[in-house]
Amino acid sequence: MIAENEIARKSATELRRLIGNKELSPVEVVEACLSQIEKYNGVINAVCTVNESALDEAHKAEQAIVNGDKLGILHGLPVGIKDVTETAGIRTTYGSPLYSTHIPKEDALVVQRFKQAGAIILGKTNTPEFATGGNTFNEVFGATRNPWNTKLSAGGSTGGGAAALASGMITLAEGTDLGGSLRIPASFCGVVGLRPSPGLVPTEPTNYLWDSLSVTGGLARTVEDLALMLQAVSGPGEQTPFCQPNKERDFISAVRKKLPNKLKVAYCQDIAGIGIEDELGQICRNASFELSQIGMEVDEIDFDLSFGRDAFLDLRGYRMVAQHFNRLDKLDELGENLRGNIRAALKITVEQLAASEQTRLKIQQKFESFFEDYDTLLTPCMVVSPFPVEQNYPETVAGKKMKTYVDWFAPTFLLSLTGLPVGCVPCGLTSEKLPVGLQIVGKPWSEESVLALAQRVQDLFPIGLPYL
């Protein structure tokens, strides 16, 4: 018999195998995760709403096995859904007091796909208001804490999902990424995240149809788990205008395949020009060059994307106005971060937006040239270690004062401008035993290659889970 805490810490892939072999039941897995929530959520505050029907659904999943029904690839796995993603019959607050009692009537498309694959929605994971910010706190549920050190931030905006994964409360986490909202908490909490190409996992419903900055994706404890999730939830949506190449995608096999010989990898320490804590830079550089020991060609290069900062801020601002257009008469009821962002965005001119699109084009051209010489770009995900949870954001990086509350995560938001797939995988621990994440930037629509390389990094630098 497997102990509950051991069940909760196993990979989703292994749990699915055990469920399929009838060595574990979905009921046992859900009970193990609920036990972790009971033990640790009071302090970590990762799961903000538990699905009261989760155990009933687990029993139905168990009966399907007994009946010999065809099982989906996520059958019986408890997953967490970010509290900005609609779930039918389960409270969805968007982290906003305006929606503190809101219960949607329909599931978002990604939630439908989780269910079709046999997953069990265990609950909603905490997020800043409307996923705005790199630290997870809001006026409805408060702050989410880092399982590695509960005095520190879990990152944001999918901080609840990352913290829940690292502490065994769920097996997979759905989330979104505008400026780093999957990658920041992945790095801070020591899990794996992927910002996929726009449209690979459709965001439906949405208030902003042509949104190419914010994407839906996921977090997992292992790269293979993330591939499993992507296999279940990716694919075109009827309402999504962004199209992916018309081909069958096999993310699971890609992770298990041997990488091509002489893969050419470039490492850049500081794509944003804002500096980085010495220890973080050393860990990421060492991990990148360690790849040469398994046959890759690794170069360190300068790759400056700092000229994209204002473009991101302007395009992000435009997106916020578009997303919240029907709430502009309620600005005073929104939180300080979101309210300030929208008011600033309302002052952006058409000329600024046009210039921002031209900057975005220059970044795309810069990467086109880069990919003529290299297969992948590696760069640190975070330039600072997790900071105190009460702090909104780090005001300085390597002694340099930041201009705005988002500048500290420029290494993630600058890459959001590209539309390229970007992964984040743990590559080591600091002297304070805090995780460090490495970003992997792939060619257009190359999620398979990003995941495959992330798997090799995880193989070389396993950090485990926090001791709880």
Side-chain angles (χ1 to χ4, degrees), residues 195-371:
R195 175 191 165 87
S197 309
L200 183 63
V201 183
T203 302
E204 299 179 14
T206 177
N207 290 332
Y208 180 22
L209 186 63
W210 290 92
D211 186 0
S212 63
L213 277 184
S214 181
V215 300
T216 298
L219 297 162
R221 285 193 282 267
T222 71
V223 178
E224 192 172 23
D225 287 357
L226 196 53
L228 184 73
M229 182 198 303
L230 205 57
Q231 199 68 47
V233 302
S234 63
E238 293 182 0
Q239 301 171 16
T240 302
F242 297 103
C243 298
Q244 295 292 313
N246 186 21
K247 65 175 183 177
E248 293 293 325
R249 311 288 293 265
D250 188 345
F251 305 105
I252 299 170
S253 295
V255 168
R256 298 168 180 170
K257 285 181 181 176
K258 184 179 180 181
L259 287 170
N261 291 329
K262 293 299 179 184
L263 198 69
K264 294 191 67 176
V265 175
Y267 173 76
C268 180
Q269 183 91 312
D270 184 10
I271 62 172
I274 60 173
I276 184 172
E277 291 179 358
D278 288 342
E279 186 178 21
L280 300 188
Q282 181 180 350
I283 289 170
C284 289
R285 178 186 283 114
N286 290 347
S288 298
F289 277 91
E290 188 68 21
L291 294 171
S292 63
Q293 301 301 313
I294 57 173
M296 298 182 200
E297 184 179 331
V298 185
D299 295 331
E300 184 164 6
I301 66 169
D302 291 324
F303 197 76
D304 183 13
L305 296 178
S306 61
F307 65 93
R309 173 192 176 273
D310 290 344
F312 174 79
L313 294 178
D314 288 346
L315 293 171
R316 174 180 180 266
Y318 174 75
R319 179 195 175 276
M320 285 193 175
V321 174
Q323 183 190 19
H324 298 287
F325 186 78
N326 294 328
R327 285 183 283 268
L328 293 182
D329 61 338
K330 298 180 179 179
L331 279 186
D332 290 339
E333 299 177 56
L334 298 174
E336 181 181 354
N337 276 357
L338 182 57
R339 183 172 67 243
N341 273 279
I342 294 173
R343 284 183 171 149
L346 288 168
K347 299 176 183 178
I348 297 171
T349 67
V350 173
E351 287 83 0
Q352 285 175 288
L353 291 175
S356 296
E357 290 294 355
Q358 290 300 308
T359 299
R360 199 173 187 182
L361 175 60
K362 290 178 183 177
I363 290 175
Q364 182 191 39
Q365 292 168 338
K366 187 177 179 75
F367 267 100
E368 286 176 357
S369 177
F370 169 83
F371 286 127

Side-chain angles (χ1 to χ4, degrees), residues 7 19 37 40 45 63 69 109 118 142 148 171 181 184 212 244 268 281 285 307 317 340 364 397 451:
I7 293 172
I19 289 170
I37 291 173
Y40 304 116
N45 193 31
Q63 189 60 47
D69 296 344
L109 179 60
W148 293 82
T171 64
S181 288
I184 297 166
S212 63
Q244 295 292 313
C268 180
R285 178 186 283 114
F307 65 93
Q364 182 191 39
V397 172
L451 290 169

